[in-house]
């Protein structure tokens, strides 16, 4: 046993610098889709440092492979429904219609959209978690494996329930949770300068915008307390100690690895057990496949425009696709467009359609001039890392907020995807391509983003191993999570002090009045 | 010029790893006394990395040398009064008297004490800063030197005024500011789990303690708004744009290097432009001078107790000193006591009195068993770093809070310095020496404190150079500091929404009443 440890340690020295760790068993409960792309990067790193990984997936999962050299997977039948992609498709189609409304209606619609998604998603999730807990074979395997840690994306709280049930330390790889940005869960967030997710607001707000921000926040809190919480109530009552609620379960996480960087995110309060790892998946570009490299080089001095909508690759309506293809055809640049679907009739000779491309390597290619994107977080950080200005075509969720963050910093332009015309698209893209300010702004963000004492992926692995080494990190977690809301906000103390103040003032005036009356009486007597 | 840069850069490569920087001019405005001990460590590091340092000091300063190989000093005559140590002495003498009162009276007294210190200190400071601004020679030198950065401890805000006047980026090396712990200045701090400085409270508080915490906070806020602010008003009106106030000047700092670590400090909200460097002055122990080493070795298996009251070395009343010496004399351990004053008559042969010792090296010595200390921040971090349990004799300021932080973690015991008897002292010290739980708790803190991806001193220099490289770090600063209080706390928005809610409810009931009345009328008519 000692010998094994020594060998592992020695190997560790040659594989990667850093502290020496005995092997540990990590249970990984990821969120499927684009979130998995992130998690996979961390898992690869953890595997190379000698940790044993077990990943829970749905047998239907398109993104999470069943067989992998770096982890053992468990396909939980009960999670099947959870990752039905057609659900997003249907939502997107409705959503695109409503984007044509005015500002206030749009915000209301987005909120309603999120509520609908939550009702549907969390209902599926509750059933899935119940089936999981009822699965005796699965649960006894979980208990017998002696996991040291649960690494999970709490965007969907399956991992939170499981970690609590197994009483294991818990590390989050997180951006969104319950009420939008995870900061709203773990840190006090003044609504005067912290824009709520889905509000499409920045951190400089006028009175109207602050009111809107507050309303969106109230709406999201109501969604949490009246939709999410009741949804999980039965599950919680059945499998957890009385009084347990989802929020305080989440707040017991030992560490929050938050996929954010304040070059992109607006500065806001945070907590000591939060580690920022935004852009950890970005890396210097590798060589492209030969044919793609040849295409890039053929662009000459004009360079290349890259377009991708990430996992929403097939989401655009036909008229929008045609308009974009027509605009591309008129550019002197070449275009690489990640696209699935009917070939647009207006497609020019300068445009290459592919169903997948190595996005990070393309963005880091010296010929790349601009990135047309839907504004998914991964893509935005890759664009920042490589300093490529963005033309945003946001479609869903946080994508509007994401593109806004680059826009207010002068590094991106946004179009209303549903209503764009070919001329509008061409003008906006030409602007991003030709106005040097966009590239300069993006290069500045890139410089700031890369100026860090330790790479975000190393930070992530360091802190995961920190929790392993120290069997948790409770000393970094504030006491706030234990408190009921009226204690947390000192409502009881404020009421006491106000009462005392009121009584003191009242007594003072009563005494004054009595004394005045006595003086008056005496005067009358004397007279 | 280019050649010089290249040489500097090449030298940099061999002196210290890290990024290559052109020389820069840093203006340093320190706080004298124990705060300088910290600042000097950072300055040494910055000097070794090729930066030019200019330090502003008082000609009377005992701690800050006029001549130094690492910096150029400017002795500002106007700052003379500021560092009158007898002021602390007088205060201490009063303070010790009042420590004998009960809990509530004691807290009130400490607050009154702080208020008195603030009135006195800030009055002196205002005069000093005015004289500085009026000194044409000094000010034109400041303007002509082309500083790149002001590095200051805002415990006394001289550097804040100067940086703003010169419009330079500003980095704080800070722990205390205005209303106690600097977190109260820069981050939302819920009073339900964030104890106020001087409250002697932890982060787990009952209703009475939370009320006390709130009262202390209110008192400190009143002190700021009714003592500090008016004190600086004339200065601000004369030298700064209208509407400038001290708090918002401080909040424009690009970076806060906070001398805290959450192994010691209670976890609480923080901000993105805050970097924790608690314990950055600690380093592995170096060999002791021969005679001291011989004394340490002579202790045999029992080991040595170290005692120091830091800069308050001569502060203890005679009866307390005698009691402590008598208790020491009865121990099987040897004692090294940093002491100035009349030799106690009860002193034993096992006790060595010295007027100075290399504290860090002594604490890191394998023979050291316990540390009797006043609870100054520097000493507490050195004790944590080397894993030596503490017996606390707090005297002033934050020392009560500091010792409490180790005590609640099982790594220290505290005595009421003013009332201690020889027997009490001996019993407490024996407890710390003989109960292994104290050492185990301290060793656990030490392990956690040392478990970090980058050394705190490297972190400090990295971030100072980050601000130099990027000419500030405004993108890490939240927008909160620009907002008036009623906007910051969304009072205006809340009033609007409450009004709308109230009107809606009122209208609803009015319409209901009208309809009911109409229905009733119609009924009466029909009848």
């Amino acid at each position: 046993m000692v010998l094994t440890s020594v060998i592992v340690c020695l190997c560790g020295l040659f594989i990667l610098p850093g502290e020496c760790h005995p092997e540990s068993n990590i249970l990984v409960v990821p969120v499927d889709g684009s979130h998995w792309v992130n998690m996979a990067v961390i898992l690869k790193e953890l595997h190379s440092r000698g940790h044993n990984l077990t990943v829970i997936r749905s047998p239907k999962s398109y993104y999470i492979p069943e067989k992998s050299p770096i982890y053992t997977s468990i396909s939980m039948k009960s999670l099947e429904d959870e990752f039905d992609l057609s659900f997003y498709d249907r939502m997107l189609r409705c959503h695109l219609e409503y984007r044509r409304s005015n500002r206030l209606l749009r915000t209301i619609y987005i909120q309603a959209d999120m509520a609908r998604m939550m009702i549907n998603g969390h209902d599926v999730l509750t059933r899935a978690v119940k089936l999981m807990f009822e699965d005796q074979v699965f649960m006894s395997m979980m208990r017998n494996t002696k996991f040291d840690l649960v690494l999970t994306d709490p965007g969907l709280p399956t991992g939170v329930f499981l970690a609590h049930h197994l009483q294991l330390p818990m590390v989050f790889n997180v951006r969104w949770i319950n009420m939008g940005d995870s900061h709203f869960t773990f840190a006090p967030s003044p609504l005067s300068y912290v824009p709520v997710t889905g509000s499409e607001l920045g951190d400089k707000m006028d009175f109207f915008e602050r009111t809107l921000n507050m309303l969106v926040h109230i709406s999201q809190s109501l969604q949490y307390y009246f939709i999410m919480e009741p949804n999980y109530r039965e599950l919680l009552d059945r499998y957890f100690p009385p009084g347990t609620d989802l929020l305080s379960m989440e707040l017991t996480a030992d560490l929050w690895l938050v996929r954010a960087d304040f070059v992109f995110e607006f500065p806001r309060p945070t907590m000591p057990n939060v580690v920022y790892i935004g852009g950890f998946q970005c890396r210097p570009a590798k060589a492209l496949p030969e044919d793609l490299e040849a295409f890039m080089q053929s662009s000459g001095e004009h360079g290349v425009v890259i377009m991708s909508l990430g996992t929403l690759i097939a989401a655009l309506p036909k008229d929008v696709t045609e308009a974009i293809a027509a605009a591309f055809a008129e550019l002197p640049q070449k275009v690489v467009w990640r696209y699935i679907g009917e070939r647009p009739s207006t497609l020019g000779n300068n445009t290459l359609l592919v169903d997948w491309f190595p996005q990070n390597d393309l963005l880091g290619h010296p010929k790349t001039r601009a990135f047309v994107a839907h504004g998914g977080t991964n893509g935005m950080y890759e664009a920042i890392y490589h300093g490529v200005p963005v033309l945003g075509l946001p479609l869903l969720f946080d994508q509007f907020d994401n593109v806004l963050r680059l826009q207010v910093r002068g590094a991106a332009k946004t179009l209303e995807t549903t209503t764009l015309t070919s001329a509008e698209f061409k003008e906006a893209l030409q602007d991003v391509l030709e106005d040097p300010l966009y590239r300069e702004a993006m290069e500045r963000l890139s410089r700031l983003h890369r100026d860090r004492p330790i790479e975000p992926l190393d930070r992530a692995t360091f802190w995961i191993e920190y929790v392993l080494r120290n069997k948790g990190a409770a000393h970094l977690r504030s006491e706030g999570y234990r408190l009921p809301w009226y204690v947390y906000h000192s409502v009881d103390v404020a009421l006491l002090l106000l009462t005392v103040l009121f009584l003191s003032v009242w007594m003072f005036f009563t005494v004054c009045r009595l004394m005045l009356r006595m003086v008056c009486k005496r005067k009358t007597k004397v007279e």
Side-chain angles (χ1 to χ4, degrees), chain A residues 8-228:
Chain A
V8 170
C9 291
L10 283 176
C11 288
L13 277 178
F14 295 108
I15 296 171
L16 253 181
E19 274 208 38
C20 176
H21 293 279
E23 277 181 26
S24 57
N25 287 322
I26 302 179
L27 177 63
V28 184
V29 190
V31 166
D32 212 317
S34 62
H35 288 227
W36 167 255
V37 179
N38 281 309
M39 191 62 106
V41 176
I42 297 185
L43 297 192
K44 202 175 150 195
E45 189 68 18
L46 289 174
H47 171 74
S48 79
R49 294 174 74 82
H51 300 289
N52 298 322
L53 308 170
T54 306
V55 173
I56 297 186
R57 66 185 281 279
S58 144
K60 265 192 189 171
S61 175
Y62 172 74
Y63 285 93
I64 308 175
E66 189 183 353
K67 291 201 179 359
S68 158
I70 63 169
Y71 60 79
T72 313
S73 78
I74 300 177
S75 296
M76 275 304 294
K77 273 235 158 74
S78 58
L79 294 176
E80 275 183 332
D81 297 344
E82 200 184 312
F83 306 111
D84 178 358
L85 287 174
S86 72
F87 162 67
Y88 291 102
D89 254 21
R90 265 175 290 134
M91 207 172 108
L92 183 65
R93 248 159 262 293
C94 290
H95 195 92
L96 289 176
E97 286 305 306
Y98 280 82
R99 287 293 300 175
R100 299 171 209 250
S101 326
N102 79 16
R103 183 81 177 81
L104 192 65
L105 277 176
R106 208 162 75 197
T107 305
I108 292 172
Y109 180 71
I110 292 173
Q111 292 310 309
D113 224 27
M114 282 173 70
R116 196 147 33 107
M117 190 188 71
M118 274 170 69
I119 295 176
N120 195 331
H122 291 289
D123 178 50
V124 171
L125 204 71
T126 319
R127 278 185 283 127
V129 176
K130 259 188 225 160
L131 283 172
M132 200 162 72
F133 281 168
E134 280 161 13
D135 187 333
Q136 296 298 330
V137 181
F138 172 78
M139 288 310 288
S140 76
M141 183 171 69
M142 286 290 108
R143 272 186 221 101
N144 296 336
T145 311
K146 301 264 172 266
F147 289 109
D148 301 296
L149 182 87
V150 172
L151 173 62
T152 186
D153 184 331
L156 297 173
T158 321
V160 179
F161 289 118
L162 205 53
H164 268 259
H165 199 70
L166 300 170
Q167 298 185 308
L168 290 171
M170 184 164 65
V171 174
F172 286 166
N173 166 15
V174 58
R175 187 156 181 234
W176 311 111
I177 184 169
N178 305 345
M179 290 176 276
D181 192 301
S182 55
H183 288 80
F184 283 105
T185 308
F186 59 70
S189 303
L191 291 170
S192 47
Y193 65 92
V194 177
V196 174
T197 311
S199 65
E200 292 179 63
L201 295 167
D203 58 351
K204 293 183 189 81
M205 295 179 261
D206 60 25
F207 182 74
F208 169 74
E209 289 171 327
R210 286 189 295 112
T211 308
L212 192 66
N213 200 38
M214 174 79 88
L215 287 172
V216 175
H217 180 70
I218 292 173
S219 136
Q220 289 182 4
S221 304
L222 294 177
Q223 283 173 40
Y224 173 76
Y225 289 106
F226 290 97
I227 299 174
M228 268 183 93

Side-chain angles (χ1 to χ4, degrees), chain A residues 306-356:
Chain A
I306 309 291
M307 172 161 174
S308 171
L309 302 183
T311 46
L312 301 170
I313 183 165
L316 289 183
K318 199 178 171 208
D319 55 331
V320 176
T321 308
E322 289 288 340
I324 291 175
F328 279 153
E330 289 173 32
L331 292 179
Q333 280 78 19
K334 296 234 163 169
V335 180
V336 187
W337 184 354
R338 197 178 150 210
Y339 181 82
I340 287 176
E342 197 185 324
R343 188 182 166 87
S345 64
T346 49
L347 201 76
N349 287 332
N350 66 340
T351 307
L352 177 68
L353 295 186
V354 288
D355 58 5
W356 182 86

